[in-house]
Amino acid sequence: FLPIQTFKDSTPLFVIHPISGLAFAYTGLSDYINKHSIYGINNPYFGQNSSPFNSLEEMASEYVKLVLAYQKNGSYKLG
């Protein structure tokens, strides 16, 4: 995770990286979203010549596991 903005006792917004593979593109969101944590999800295989993901569904499944490891229960905000 890339912690873009953190606030205690807020439902975090998880943003998935753009095509570049890194979530740094979302750092400007903190100017517009107040009092909510924002975490970017980077491609864990960024910079490698190949990716073990064979489909978008496999990638999404892996990212869901990351979010659930961080926040097991509750409502989820995804971007």
Side-chain angles (χ1 to χ4, degrees):
F1 286 107
L2 168 66
I4 296 171
Q5 175 172 276
T6 58
F7 284 94
K8 195 171 186 159
D9 300 327
S10 73
T11 301
L13 168 63
F14 297 96
V15 290
I16 309 301
H17 64 82
I19 192 76
S20 67
L22 298 175
F24 288 111
Y26 300 114
T27 56
L29 280 176
S30 61
D31 293 337
Y32 302 98
I33 299 176
N34 297 317
K35 298 182 181 177
H36 285 283
S37 296
I38 305 170
Y39 293 96
I41 298 176
N42 293 323
N43 182 336
Y45 302 101
F46 176 79
Q48 297 183 11
N49 290 334
S50 64
S51 171
F53 301 126
N54 293 313
S55 68
L56 186 59
E57 289 81 7
E58 284 183 18
M59 182 184 283
S61 177
E62 190 66 28
Y63 292 174
V64 166
K65 289 176 190 174
L66 289 172
V67 170
L68 291 174
Y70 183 84
Q71 180 184 335
K72 297 198 183 307
N73 299 311
S75 59
Y76 298 93
K77 295 178 182 180
L78 303 172

